[in-house]
Amino acid sequence: MRQFVDPDTGEVFYEEQILRRPDEIVKVFRPAGRSAKFVKIKASQKAKRRLRKLTLAEAGFLLKIAPYASEGTNLLQGDNERGQKGVPLTIKDLARIADCSYSQARKIVRTFIEQRILRWTEVGNRAALAINPLYSLNGKAADTSLLQLFKQETTEAGEDPNSE
């Protein structure tokens, strides 16, 4: 068995030979515990125009925090590596995730709120940030709660976040 290391991510891969019959199908599963995320950056022309307006620092920040969006609701929550699983991430947590200073993260979050990329909402008795589904969506479809949170933005954009 040969081992390969991805130079960008450090992820280790192993080469294996599999013998199978012509009528058999082989599927590879990842171990339980590390769920696959379906975070996607929106690719419509309108979304591309919106994304092009972001500075490099803002685009990098959005790309780094997007995998922490909970499925369907886009709430930024911990995963037990960064923050407690299911608990809303703080701006301090987001700064660590995005590998930037707290003041830079706070400034980008404030800018994103002004640009309606992020929005504060309440989960239980805690404040949580959610990502606008017109920019990025975790999961195959946006939940009703997420669509309600960004209703004005999606209406103004004339775009359905669940299409694509």
Side-chain angles (χ1 to χ4, degrees):
M1 189 164 31
R2 291 180 26 193
Q3 176 180 318
F4 300 94
V5 178
D6 183 326
D8 297 327
T9 64
E11 191 172 8
V12 178
F13 297 92
Y14 297 95
E15 182 180 277
E16 294 181 28
Q17 184 176 6
I18 299 172
L19 301 175
R20 63 179 185 82
R21 292 184 189 91
D23 61 341
E24 291 178 321
I25 297 173
V26 175
K27 185 170 182 174
V28 178
F29 292 93
R30 293 181 70 164
R34 296 294 277 176
S35 63
K37 296 251 182 180
F38 298 100
V39 175
K40 58 187 171 195
I41 300 297
K42 302 302 277 185
S44 69
Q45 288 304 321
K46 289 179 183 177
K48 287 176 189 173
R49 281 193 290 275
R50 282 192 292 271
L51 290 168
R52 275 197 303 269
K53 291 178 183 174
L54 300 178
T55 67
L56 187 58
E58 291 168 348
F61 188 86
L62 180 61
L63 185 64
K64 286 184 175 185
I65 66 170
Y68 292 86
S70 59
E71 190 169 339
T73 63
N74 269 9
L75 293 171
L76 294 171
Q77 297 181 330
D79 65 355
N80 283 343
E81 253 181 61
R82 295 283 190 208
Q84 188 179 338
K85 187 169 180 76
V87 174
L89 292 168
T90 64
I91 293 175
K92 194 180 213 179
D93 294 325
L94 297 178
R96 276 191 232 114
I97 289 165
D99 202 22
C100 65
S101 69
Y102 173 76
S103 61
Q104 186 179 14
R106 194 176 69 226
K107 181 181 174 197
I108 291 173
V109 167
R110 195 172 331 141
T111 300
F112 279 3
I113 290 169
E114 288 168 6
Q115 295 175 348
R116 302 184 294 187
I117 296 169
L118 293 178
R119 176 159 283 167
W120 285 106
T121 186
E122 202 160 303
V123 178
N125 60 350
R126 297 182 81 142
L129 283 166
I131 299 176
N132 186 328
L134 295 174
Y135 287 84
S136 175
L137 177 65
N138 180 4
K140 298 189 189 245
D143 283 358
T144 309
S145 60
L146 179 62
L147 295 175
Q148 275 302 120
L149 186 61
F150 288 98
K151 185 177 184 184
Q152 181 183 349
E153 289 81 0
T154 54
T155 303
E156 285 174 9
E159 206 174 324
D160 176 10
N162 287 328
S163 66
E164 278 190 56

